[in-house]
Amino acid sequence: MPPTPGVDRRTLLRRAAAVGLLATPAAGLLGGCVGGGDAGAPQQAQGEKTADNPLGVKEDAELEVVIFNGGLGTKYATDVHIPSYKQKFPKANVKFSQTEEVATVLQPRFTSNTPPDMINNAGSKLMDQGALVQAGQVQDLTELFEAESLDLPGKKVKDTLIPGTIEQGTFNGKPYVLNYAFTVFGLWYDSTLFEKNGWVPPKTWSEFTALCDKIRAAGVTPYSYAGANAAYYQYLVLLTSAAKIGGPDVLKNIDNLEDGAWQVDAVKQAAAAWAEIGAKYGNKAHLGLKHTEVQLQQNQGKVAFYPSGSWLENEQAKDTPPGFTYAVMPVPSVTGSDKLPQTAIYAAAGEMYFVASKGKNPRGGMEYLRHMLSKAGAKGFTELTKVLTVVRGATDGLTISPGLTSSEAMLKAAGTDYFSYRWDTWYKKLDDECRAATNELFFNGGTAEKFCERMQKAANAVKKDPSIQKFTR
């Protein structure tokens, strides 16, 4: 996500490439942003802190907001969050813009210390969040999380959030990013098509491959993703399999750049399993396609399983034909001795939003996030995007879509067995390398050994590079 982790969002999803880091991470960013120091930094708006204005927003200060236009769209900003902010600060002009290429548009502005105030950092051309933090370009959000909730008097913002939310956006002990969309990842399919054909969602790997054989025999591509910009969807499910096989510490060790973390048996087994799926059940023509193109093929009944986050249903809303019913299932267990159950899933706060520390109105930027984190703001977001947020109880009473219903059911079944990783947003070089390595593994006859060796070499290079700040969890 979400994506928003092309619209390669996202993120969470993933959703990391910053100021100058489209091809060469930290060096370009740090040279441009840090080298200039505070020269030319704007005078920042400051209002009086009161019980009704806990962040000290200047009531007539302009606020600039940039939102990624991807799978989640932008109506949640224009129709929910901006009106909420304007209602509280009617004298303030909110300058809004949207983009599908966040880094391309915003890199020059961060380099010149003239950034917008609040940014949704997502998409295939998102900014390297770790490098932005390292360069001092990101506002510490401690004040936001300690402030009173907008619509729950007596409660701090931090107390209204799903556990783990703040930690997901924390870099070396300080919260710099709001990961707002609570995204669940799995294998998406059309439940109507499956019911029509008597196809039952598999739980084990043998059931998965047996079903893929049946699907292929019916003239449908059993499983695929878009190689042009959505390889991270695939490496996400690969690493989900690795975590199920070996436990969540497999991912923690990768995050922390532990020696040999990419070469443990769990990662090798997962890579081998998914390499086989690519060789037998994928479509090599999808290597050059974008995510929306493969997703459209799924809507047309040409692809059965598609890996994605829970933004998918909303992203495809305009192209989803009547009778197509989105549903999602966990990644099947690879072995009979996986450390985590088949119901375990990758689920995490994703879709990064942050405030520029050198913007004209960082206090307004934090206030904008406070409106996003209100119950009303979160409910409006979910109604428009069909994606959950990190605000607890925000969907109470909502009539939700089939895909979101399926997502919630999968999350409920997982219980406490859900996990995530952070390395992709911390280290853009690793994200780039893993996308390429995953495409090789899935589409071009790569092997598990080559994949693991390639990724370990890339991780070692990041670990040894003194110009890249390291993060741990």
Side-chain angles (χ1 to χ4, degrees), residues 205 208-216 220-224 273 275-284 442:
W205 207 257
F208 184 36
T209 55
L211 178 57
C212 284
D213 285 331
K214 292 181 181 179
I215 293 170
R216 184 176 58 185
V220 177
T221 298
Y223 179 96
S224 197
E276 182 181 13
I277 297 298
K280 292 184 177 181
Y281 306 114
N283 186 334
K284 293 187 184 300
F442 193 87

Side-chain angles (χ1 to χ4, degrees), residues 189-216:
Y189 61 98
D190 175 8
S191 64
T192 301
L193 176 67
F194 273 50
E195 289 169 8
K196 177 183 176 182
N197 288 281
W199 298 338
V200 179
K203 295 182 178 181
T204 68
W205 207 257
S206 61
E207 291 174 352
F208 184 36
T209 55
L211 178 57
C212 284
D213 285 331
K214 292 181 181 179
I215 293 170
R216 184 176 58 185

Side-chain angles (χ1 to χ4, degrees), residues 26 91 136 163 312 339 365-366 425 439 442:
K91 296 180 181 179
L312 177 63
K339 289 188 177 180
M366 287 192 288
T425 56
N439 279 344
F442 193 87

Side-chain angles (χ1 to χ4, degrees), residues 373-445:
L373 292 172
S374 68
K375 263 202 168 184
K379 181 179 180 181
F381 176 90
T382 298
E383 287 177 320
L384 290 173
T385 67
K386 303 180 179 69
V387 172
L388 300 171
T389 72
V390 295
V391 180
R392 291 187 291 190
T395 59
D396 292 350
L398 273 184
T399 300
I400 55 180
S401 64
L404 183 53
T405 300
S406 182
S407 296
E408 285 199 304
M410 187 171 70
L411 182 61
K412 183 178 180 180
T416 58
D417 290 319
Y418 64 88
F419 47 82
S420 64
Y421 50 72
R422 306 285 302 285
W423 60 270
D424 60 325
T425 56
W426 285 348
Y427 309 115
K428 185 63 171 68
K429 281 184 176 179
L430 276 186
D431 177 49
D432 290 340
E433 187 68 7
C434 199
R435 292 177 188 231
T438 299
N439 279 344
E440 179 183 37
L441 180 75
F442 193 87
F443 290 112
N444 293 328

